[in-house]
Structure formats: structure tokens, C-alpha cells
Amino acid sequence: MATDTSALQEELLRRARARAAERTATPAPARDLGPAPLSHAQRRMWLMERLGRSSAQYSVPFATRLDGPLDLAALGTALTALVRRHEILRTRYGRHGEEPYQEPVPAPETIAVKVVDAPGDGADLLTEEARRPFDLAAGTLPRALVLRHGPQDHTVLLTFHHIAIDGGSLETVAEELAELYGAAADGRPCVQSEPPQYADFARRELTDAGRLDEGLAHWTRRLAGTTPPRLPRPAAAPADAAEHPAATATTPLGEQVLPALRELGRQRRATVFTVGLAAAFAALHRLTGEDDLVIGCAATHREGRAMRGLVGLCVNTLPVRVDMSGDPAFATLVERVRDALLDAQRHREVPFDLILERLGATARGDDGTALVRVTSDVLGEPTALRLPGLRARPVEVGVGEAKFDLTFALMDTKAPASLVQYGRTALADETGRSLGTAFAELLTAVAADPALRLSRLPGEASQPAADAAHPAEARLRAHPDVADAHVPDPGGGPLLAYAVLRRTGGPSPDRLRAHVRNALVRELVPAAVTLLDVMPRTADGSVDPARLPTAPVPAPPRSRHIEAVTAAFAGLLGRSPAPDEDFFALGGNSLAAVQLAERLRTAHKVPMTGLDILQSRTPRAVAALVDAREAQRAAAVAAAPPPAARSPRAREGTVLVTGGTGGVGAFVLRELAAQGRPVLALARPESAHLVAADGIEVVEGDLSDPDSLRAAVDNADAVIHAACTFTRPEVDIAAMEAMVDAWRGGPFVFVSSVDAYGHPSTARVAEEAPSQQPLSAYGQAKLDCERLLLRAVGTEGRGGASAVRSPIVWGAHDRLRDQLRWGATGLLYQAALNGRPISLPAPGTGGHDWYGAPWVHAAALARAVTSCLDAPVHGVANAVSGHVAWPDLTAELLALLRSDSTVTLDDAVHPDLNHRWHYRADRLSAALRPRPGEDLHAVLAAMITPEGS
């Protein structure tokens, strides 16, 4: 049957026109131009910046050496047009509450291209520029630097932030810049199709999150029971680790190695990437001796037509788990790795951060080490900026930092090579260099003979796990002032430790032992720490036990209070402890610590608080503290001049201050002295020497002695009541009743607490907002004391009254330092101090956008409190310097304590972190205005000193 081809062509043409008309008639949906969520990959970088971990490892330097006539104006025009096209290159990062968002900023009129003359290669200038930090809150505009080596010889460096770009994006950037540059140089328009925008990708990722349950379940099963590889850490971090945190060992490969590896892959139905990954597993197995290993590989979300031309961070980490047992031939290992990699790639759509969230604490080692600390890759020829009319060659710019502890790479380039990059705190330089050489030798060996078994491969086999460092040795090495440490096998004798300090005048042996005791169970704590000038070592670098001091461990000096302190422990905890048994191991808690301190204070007439018990922890240490406090009191009494006779109301305007030995009271006394006001300080007899000073008259008294309180108030013209038992509300209320009863004139200022608000229903709390249940016993006592005071205002000649509610108080005072370490923030402080993982409540948990703490600088609180003497508020006022989110406070603690704790955001809220309120502080705002040194970082830095210093 004949076919009418002309009719058929006409019909096909009609259908094509109809489809085109439909496409034209249906406009693309309007884009959401408002703030967008962050992708999972972006959130990790955003969190790292907030935790002070952003550094230069997230800079992406893109440098090219160009020979020929470079048109700088055209380069600036092209770069400006590129940034205008891709919103992600001009995006800032903010947060609503604790939820981060990204938002494009208007395109700049022009992006400046900085030009610097550089006669040499300018490598230092390139590195310096690449290491300059970005401010995510302000935006991540790329930076352009041109080094002019000669009239027609330049190096162009473009520096991006990794949150805005990845390796795949660089190809797009290079291609588009070349087109835009050519058009600008020729003076013609450049027509390019509209690119996809990264914010839309991030929105889709959030929308699609619900479809990842099956993939998450797969990863949970696949990674169950795995732990991070245990890399042989150096005995001590290199002295220049801060300036040079990472190193790279690159070794050339013979010309036949890569072709042979490709052929091996073809025979085993694997890519050269898979073969390189198998070599990385083999090298890691030789290094660690472990059979169950995980190595991370980079994957991409950049798939499909909708993602073509997308600039942004589209990488994902795939954790590949491989069983190395049985001493397989390398060719067999390639098959195992191939299967494991294919399995991982089938579920590559699941963001790695979601996998970590699902796994929780099981995704980390006992020391908090991240699951993926080792990665592998194959590197091709680097991307270059190939501008029309110029010859281009890529330039490597090293920022000296590593994103992972260890990375293996196979360089598939014109000059093939192997590469090992390592963090210098994760591997010793000698180990890293040896590993670089061994990896190249391993690749060469398996290329020649794939049947080699793992045990026959090049590379030094790992020492047995039994030879790992003793936990006390690892703890000592983690101390910032310890350069080297060793804890030998006791062999049936006492456990001894040896340490070498970085500096003269560092921590004492007792302080180092306390540093260990605070982190380990009693059985792992050495009986003594001996300081050495240098650690004796053999020719192979191991510690020489024959040259270690072997004298018997000297018995620690016996305190004359040890029996009494031991009896106090036993009477409270129900069992008689050994001298070095830990308070918590005996069943103690914070309440018992306060009770024990009260017993010891009463019995021995020395200052003692529950925080003292929490820090000292053993009968021997507490007894030594009692000895020291007695000696301090005796020395102060001996040095003090004889007291002058005092007549009641000898000085007009005298202010009675309670709580002067505490942190808040000490700052109040200091502020009153600066104002020249006469002060009467109430103190217990054993603590009187702590507050005695010029202009301060001490009167003996105690909150539990109402008569002493009445007498003190009767001898003053004004009262600042800052004392508190914290744990005995009935005593606090009775003390307020006695003081109000004796108060007959002048102002009365009570230092209260925001705990008196209870649990408000709204996140923003106004001054004098009504209290809402539940209230803690402490908060209820503060509220009851306020009511006693404010009901008495104006009666029987009484003056004005002010209840100043304060939050957490921070300042350079030992009691306030103890509160930071053991009080409301103790959970975070102790975890950071000991390098333990830290879990924080994620924004949105429990329906609340923010979790954190209000705080006030002690000096600002003192100014606010004393201002109420002249201008009473006649009610309640808040004294708040600011509010700090838990991630921000954690970031400060990690930096100041030099901690390597890992931080995660979870959907659970620890009771100590369940605070979500912001408090207005308008009435005392003038006095609270911060002065130099009263910002959050400065006050925390003043409170924190390295353990043992």
C-alpha cells in the first residue's frame, strides 16, 4: 500500500506546532524569590562556621596562569555578569531563631579585580588570598586577584566559598566566564540561557525529604555496628599545627601503572575509581590492622537536565563499608569494593547528614571521632580558566588544610601520581610521609600482580590493638601543656604515668593527675604522675622503659583532716570511702555535694561550697582543700591590722551587702568601693578575711542566723541582699523575713533570678510578667522573697525596693568560674573540656525555634544593682546583658578550651538545656550598657584558663 509522504509530513508538522503552542501558552511557574532553606550539605558548613570551625578548608581557590594580552576590564565585566546570573554566588546566610536560611543579595554594579605585581610565581600571595575568611552573614561574593608577572603574563585567582560551589560547578564557571569574557572583550552582547538556581534545588531537597525513609532504613542497616578507623595519632601535636594543620605526600607513578589498573578494572567489571578505592582500603587496612573499615567517597546530586548548568554545592558523601577479613587477594578486594560501592550508589540520594542524624551517637567512635574520617578519590586534570586569545595552565593553590583526617587519591593526569593528604594532628609527619610512599608502592605492586594478598602488600603492618596507648596516656597527651606522655604496663605494680611539659611552670603532677581523674574511672587513674625533662626513647622511637624512673611512689602528704573528711563522706553517703574514691562513684550528686560542704564548713570554720566538692571529688583532695583554706584564713588574719572600734552608724550612707564572698557580691563590693560609698559586708566568721578591704567593714552573720541579719540591717542606711543558699529555700525565705522586719529606711535591693518567671507561655518575657508554673524550688523561693520585700515598701518609714532578676552571671571570679564549669552550663563545659561528643537541641524541637541562655556580666549586674540605690524601680527589673544560643556558647567553649568535641543537633532536649526564653531588660538598660571587655567572648575568655594552669 502506498504512503502519502507529503500528507504525513504535514500532519507531523501540525502536531509539532501544536506542542510548541502548548508550551508557549503554559508559562513556567513563578519562582519563589524569598529566603530559601539550606541544603543538607550547606547546613553542615553553616554549623561549622558557627562553631568556629570554618577556617580555610572551605575556601575553593581557582587559579590559572595566562600567557597573552589579558583584558582586565573584560575580566571584571565577565565576573560581574557571572555573579548576576547565578544567585548562589551572591547569597548571604542568616537565621530566623535557630533556623538558617539563604537569601540572594542584589547583584553588584561591578566586582573589583585586584591587581598586584608579582615578579616570581606569587605562591605566597595566592595562598594568603585563598586563606582569607568569608563572612557568610554578609554574603559570599567571589574574590578576584590578578598577579602581574609581566606585561603578558598573569595569574588569575578566583576564590569562592565551598558553601556556594563545588568541583562540578567550576567547569560551568570556567565555560561561562570564557564566553562572557570573549563577548566583553569584543564589545558584543553575550546571549546565554537562563541557568537553574541553587535555592530551588535546596527547596526541592527539603520537599523530597519525606521520600528518603527507605534509603535511610537501608543506611541504618548497612552501617550498624561500624566504628571509625583508629588512626595512629602522634604522641603530641606538632608545634606548628595551627599554622600548618595538614600536609600532602605526592609520589609519581610509573607510566604502566595506570593502564594496568584500568585493565584490572575491566577484568573485574570495575572502574579505575573503584580500583583506586580498593587500593585505599588496602592501605588503610595495613595502617590500622582493622578488618571492618569505612571510607567516604564524593557523590553528586547534579543529575538530569534540570541540573545542567547549576552552580552550587551538590556533593554528597557516600560511606562505603568493606569487609577486609580473610587476607583476600587484591583482585578479590576489588570485587568486594565494587559491590559495596554499587550498593552505596543505589542510595546516593540520601544526604550524609541525615544518615548521621539517624545513626546518632553510634556513628562516632568512643572518643567522638566522626564515622567518615578517611576518603578516597581519583583526580583528573584540574580545571583551568581558558580565556579566548590566551594560553592557560592551571595553578595549584594550597590552603594547608584538610577536610578529612586522611585522604587517598590517584591522580589520573598526564603525570600520574598517588597522593596522600593527612591532618597533622591525626597522623605524625613521619607516618604520613611513609604512608604516601607505601601507597604508591602498593599501587605499583597490584598493577603488576593483582593476585597479591593483603598481607603481602607494601606498607608497614599495624601494631596489634593491644599495644594501643593506655587511656590515661591519651588523656595526658590531650592536655594543652603536655608535650609527651607515657603510661607503661604496671606488670602487677602500681600504675604510673610520665609526662613532659611544653613549658616551665606548667601544671603540677597533682593537677595532671586530677586532669586524668576527671575523665577516667578510678581503675585507670595512675597512682602518680612523674614529670620528665625528656621522654627516654630507643633508636626506633619507642619509649625505653629501662630509663624511666623506678623509685617507689611516694605517699602523698597526709592531711590532718583526712579522718574527719572521710567520716563526713561516710555519714552522708552511707559507706566509708578510700582516700581516692570518687564522690560520684560513691553515689554522690549535686545536692549531696552541697550538704557535704555545709557539714565541713560548719565543722572546720572554713569557706566551702558544693562546687568545691564537685571539683575536688575525693576525700584526699577535699581534705587538702580544707588544709589550704585554713592556711589562707590564718595568713589573712595575721596580716590584717587590728580592727578599729565601731560605733553604730558611724558613717552616713552605709550600704549593707550580703553575699560578698560570692561572685555577684564581690562585684557589688567592688562597684560600691569605686563609687566611694561606705560598705558593711555581712560574712561568716570563717569567710571574713575574703571580703575585708579598704572602705569595707565586716560584720559577722549568716543567713541561718536571723538575729545577726536584723542587727546588720539596723546598722545600715541601705541594703543590697545578694546572698542565697541555692538549696535551702526555707532558710532564704526566713532570712528575708528577718531583714525586712529590721528594715526601717533607705532603699533595699534584692538580687533575684529570672527563675522566678517559671515557664512562661511566650518566648519573649516582659519585665514583671506574671510567673507561670512550673517553678523550681529555687525560683519559687526567689518569688516568695520578692513578695515579702515589695509588700513592705513604704510602710513604717521604709524606702523604695527593687527586685533585680538576673540570669546566669559570668565574670572573672572563682565562684562564677565554678558555676560555668559545674552549674547550668556544666553539661557543655565538661563535655568540651574532656573532648566528649556534644548533643544540642535542634531548632524546632518541641515546637521551639531557639534554645540557649540569658546571661549578664557580673560588672554590669553590679552597676544595675547599685543604680537602684539612687533610683529604685519599686518593683521588678531584669538585668540581662544578652542571650546566647547553645551552638554559639558551645563554639566559644570549644575554641577557648581547645577542644575537639564533635557537635550534633538532635530532636531531644537535655533537661539542663531546656531553656528557650528571652527576657526584656529595659528599666536598667543604661546601667547594663556593655563596657569594653564585657562582650560574650571576652568574659568567657577571662573565666576560662587551660586545665592545670
Side-chain angles (χ1 to χ4, degrees):
M1 180 177 177
T3 301
D4 184 348
T5 57
S6 62
L8 177 59
Q9 291 174 351
E10 185 68 27
E11 176 61 18
L12 292 175
L13 181 60
R14 184 191 66 77
R15 293 181 183 180
R17 286 170 176 164
R19 287 195 297 270
E22 290 174 2
R23 289 195 298 269
T24 304
T26 307
R31 288 188 61 234
D32 183 351
L33 300 179
L38 271 60
S39 69
H40 287 284
Q42 285 181 312
R43 284 185 75 101
R44 171 157 291 274
M45 292 190 188
W46 175 80
L47 180 60
M48 288 302 101
E49 182 182 81
R50 292 191 67 202
L51 296 177
R53 306 285 183 83
S54 55
S55 65
Q57 65 177 289
Y58 294 121
S59 289
V60 180
F62 176 34
T64 305
R65 188 77 173 251
L66 297 170
D67 296 328
L70 176 63
D71 188 335
L72 292 171
L75 178 63
T77 300
L79 185 58
T80 302
L82 179 81
V83 170
R84 187 176 298 116
R85 280 173 52 75
H86 297 282
E87 294 173 355
I88 190 64
L89 299 180
R90 49 182 172 87
T91 291
R92 72 179 189 89
Y93 300 83
R95 53 180 173 152
H96 293 303
E98 285 300 290
E99 188 62 28
Y101 65 87
Q102 55 184 315
E103 181 177 49
V105 299
E109 290 294 325
T110 184
I111 291 183
V113 177
K114 182 180 178 182
V115 181
V116 177
D117 289 327
D121 62 8
D124 291 344
L125 292 173
L126 297 175
T127 299
E128 180 182 356
E129 173 65 15
R131 289 181 63 86
R132 278 207 298 130
F134 285 87
D135 180 0
L136 296 187
T140 55
L141 283 174
R143 301 192 300 260
L145 173 66
V146 174
L147 301 185
R148 182 161 47 208
H149 311 292
Q152 295 194 0
D153 184 7
H154 300 82
T155 297
V156 174
L157 170 64
L158 304 178
T159 306
F160 303 87
H161 193 287
H162 200 6
I163 201 170
I165 203 167
D166 58 13
S169 302
L170 282 181
E171 294 286 347
T172 299
V173 165
E175 291 174 7
E176 293 190 3
L177 263 180
E179 294 176 7
L180 293 164
Y181 173 88
D186 295 342
R188 56 180 171 81
C190 183
V191 179
Q192 295 177 323
S193 59
E194 280 294 315
Q197 299 297 339
Y198 187 82
D200 298 332
F201 163 76
R203 291 187 181 98
R204 287 196 302 272
E205 185 183 72
L206 179 65
T207 302
D208 294 344
R211 295 200 285 268
L212 300 176
D213 289 345
E214 182 181 345
L216 279 170
H218 164 83
W219 282 114
T220 303
R221 294 190 301 269
R222 178 66 182 143
L223 298 175
T226 188
T227 57
R230 295 173 178 83
L231 301 180
R233 291 188 179 274
D240 61 344
E243 295 78 20
H244 304 286
T248 301
T250 303
T251 308
L253 296 174
E255 61 181 13
Q256 297 303 317
V257 173
L258 265 176
L261 295 178
R262 285 195 180 89
E263 176 59 22
L264 170 61
R266 187 190 65 77
Q267 294 173 2
R268 302 290 169 167
R269 296 181 294 113
T271 64
V272 72
F273 179 91
T274 303
V275 177
L277 178 58
F281 271 106
L284 185 60
H285 171 72
R286 297 288 290 169
L287 178 68
T288 65
E290 297 177 22
D291 287 337
D292 184 6
L293 293 173
V294 173
I295 291 181
C297 298
T300 181
H301 293 302
R302 193 178 276 100
E303 298 173 351
R305 293 182 63 183
M307 302 283 280
R308 192 174 300 161
L310 177 66
V311 173
L313 182 62
C314 298
V315 295
N316 190 29
T317 299
L318 294 183
V320 181
R321 184 180 188 181
V322 172
D323 177 10
M324 309 291 292
S325 64
D327 195 22
F330 183 77
T332 303
L333 177 62
V334 170
E335 294 177 346
R336 293 185 188 180
V337 172
R338 177 200 63 201
D339 295 343
L341 181 58
L342 289 173
D343 178 75
Q345 288 174 335
R346 279 193 288 268
H347 301 277
R348 63 185 178 275
E349 76 283 356
V350 182
F352 182 56
D353 281 41
L354 284 186
I355 298 173
L356 293 182
E357 289 178 14
R358 177 64 64 90
L359 293 173
T362 62
R364 301 187 180 276
D366 295 337
D367 59 353
T369 305
L371 175 62
V372 172
R373 59 188 310 205
V374 182
T375 61
S376 177
D377 204 354
V378 172
L379 306 176
E381 295 288 351
T383 303
L385 180 59
R386 304 189 183 280
L387 302 180
L390 296 101
R391 293 179 300 277
R393 56 186 174 90
V395 175
E396 182 70 23
V397 179
V399 295
E401 301 202 17
K403 296 180 178 65
F404 298 93
D405 285 342
L406 179 60
T407 294
F408 296 94
L410 179 60
M411 299 178 68
D412 188 0
T413 63
K414 295 176 183 177
S418 68
L419 180 148
V420 171
Q421 184 186 61
Y422 58 94
R424 297 178 66 220
T425 59
L427 286 182
D429 283 326
E430 182 180 355
T431 304
R433 288 191 293 267
S434 298
L435 183 60
T437 301
F439 185 51
E441 293 174 347
L442 187 153
L443 288 166
T444 303
V446 299
D449 184 4
L452 281 174
R453 294 191 176 276
L454 298 188
S455 60
R456 303 288 304 279
L457 294 179
E460 187 174 340
S462 168
Q463 294 294 320
D467 291 342
H470 190 280
E473 180 177 322
R475 175 66 176 162
L476 285 169
R477 286 176 176 171
H479 193 291
D481 285 327
V482 172
D484 199 0
H486 181 59
V487 177
D489 185 343
L495 186 66
L496 304 178
Y498 302 89
V500 177
L501 300 182
R502 295 186 184 277
R503 60 184 176 87
T504 302
S508 67
D510 288 341
R511 294 290 290 181
L512 290 177
R513 186 172 179 275
H515 175 70
V516 175
R517 190 183 65 231
N518 286 342
L520 301 180
V521 297
R522 182 165 57 93
E523 292 75 12
L524 297 178
V525 178
V529 177
T530 301
L531 296 182
L532 305 176
D533 293 330
V534 65
M535 190 68 67
R537 295 187 178 275
T538 62
D540 65 1
S542 61
V543 175
D544 185 353
R547 293 160 57 200
L548 289 171
T550 57
V553 181
R558 181 175 179 81
S559 166
R560 66 188 185 89
H561 294 104
I562 186 65
E563 287 87 359
V565 169
T566 301
F569 268 71
L572 187 65
L573 301 176
R575 53 172 289 196
S576 183
D580 292 313
E581 279 200 89
D582 187 273
F583 177 75
F584 292 110
L586 292 165
N589 52 42
S590 57
L591 178 60
V594 172
Q595 294 169 336
L596 178 58
E598 183 66 17
R599 293 186 183 189
L600 295 175
R601 183 193 66 79
T602 303
H604 301 286
K605 307 301 181 185
V606 294
M608 187 70 62
T609 68
L611 294 174
D612 292 327
I613 304 299
L614 294 178
Q615 275 197 299
S616 300
R617 294 170 63 162
T618 68
R620 193 191 306 277
V622 172
L625 182 61
V626 173
D627 292 343
R629 294 278 168 84
E630 272 194 349
Q632 290 170 359
R633 185 186 63 190
V637 171
R646 178 178 64 85
S647 58
R649 299 191 181 275
R651 294 179 294 174
E652 194 69 25
T654 295
V655 181
L656 171 67
V657 177
T658 68
T661 58
V664 174
F667 276 84
V668 169
L669 291 176
R670 192 180 306 169
E671 179 65 23
L672 291 171
Q675 296 177 13
R677 296 180 188 255
V679 175
L680 189 64
L682 183 81
R684 295 167 176 157
E686 67 273 11
S687 303
H689 64 284
L690 299 177
V691 296
D694 289 343
I696 298 177
E697 193 171 351
V698 180
V699 58
E700 293 184 0
D702 184 78
L703 292 184
S704 60
D705 182 358
D707 291 338
S708 69
L709 296 175
R710 293 188 184 94
V713 172
D714 189 53
N715 281 319
D717 298 304
V719 178
I720 295 178
H721 181 30
C724 178
T725 67
F726 291 101
T727 59
R728 299 169 63 191
E730 72 282 359
V731 172
D732 293 325
I733 294 171
M736 178 61 85
E737 288 178 332
M739 296 177 73
V740 169
D741 182 57
W743 173 41
R744 285 295 181 271
F748 194 125
V749 187
F750 173 49
V751 181
S752 185
S753 169
V754 294
D755 284 26
Y757 286 112
H759 283 59
S761 57
T762 59
R764 306 283 171 173
V765 183
E767 290 173 304
E768 288 196 302
S771 301
Q772 296 185 5
Q773 295 293 336
L775 270 76
S776 64
Y778 171 74
Q780 185 64 58
K782 289 292 188 183
L783 185 62
D784 292 343
C785 287
E786 290 179 2
R787 289 169 175 166
L788 285 170
L789 174 64
L790 297 177
R791 278 201 298 264
V793 171
T795 63
E796 301 184 48
R798 296 181 175 97
S802 308
V804 179
R805 292 182 178 177
S806 77
I808 296 173
V809 184
W810 285 330
H813 187 279
D814 285 346
R815 291 292 175 84
L816 300 179
R817 290 187 177 98
D818 286 344
Q819 289 286 352
L820 175 68
R821 294 167 180 165
W822 300 101
T825 54
L827 177 76
L828 301 181
Y829 185 96
Q830 293 301 321
L833 178 65
N834 295 300
R836 295 194 299 266
I838 296 174
S839 174
L840 303 176
T845 300
H848 305 293
D849 292 335
W850 183 90
Y851 287 92
W855 66 279
V856 63
H857 193 289
L861 175 60
R863 292 195 300 273
V865 167
T866 57
S867 72
C868 295
L869 296 174
D870 299 320
V873 297
H874 305 294
V876 172
N878 296 336
V880 180
S881 292
H883 298 80
V884 57
W886 294 133
D888 293 331
L889 177 59
T890 303
E892 293 286 350
L893 294 176
L894 294 181
L896 291 168
L897 293 169
R898 289 173 279 185
S899 171
D900 60 357
S901 290
T902 55
V903 181
T904 57
L905 298 177
D906 298 319
D907 57 2
V909 185
H910 190 282
D912 288 0
L913 303 180
N914 190 18
H915 192 282
R916 53 189 182 271
W917 296 281
H918 285 69
Y919 301 92
R920 296 294 300 268
D922 300 322
R923 294 181 174 180
L924 301 175
S925 59
L928 291 167
R929 190 172 296 118
R931 295 181 180 177
E934 292 182 2
D935 58 280
L936 177 69
H937 175 77
V939 68
L940 290 175
M943 296 174 73
I944 294 175
T945 55
E947 186 77 7
S949 64

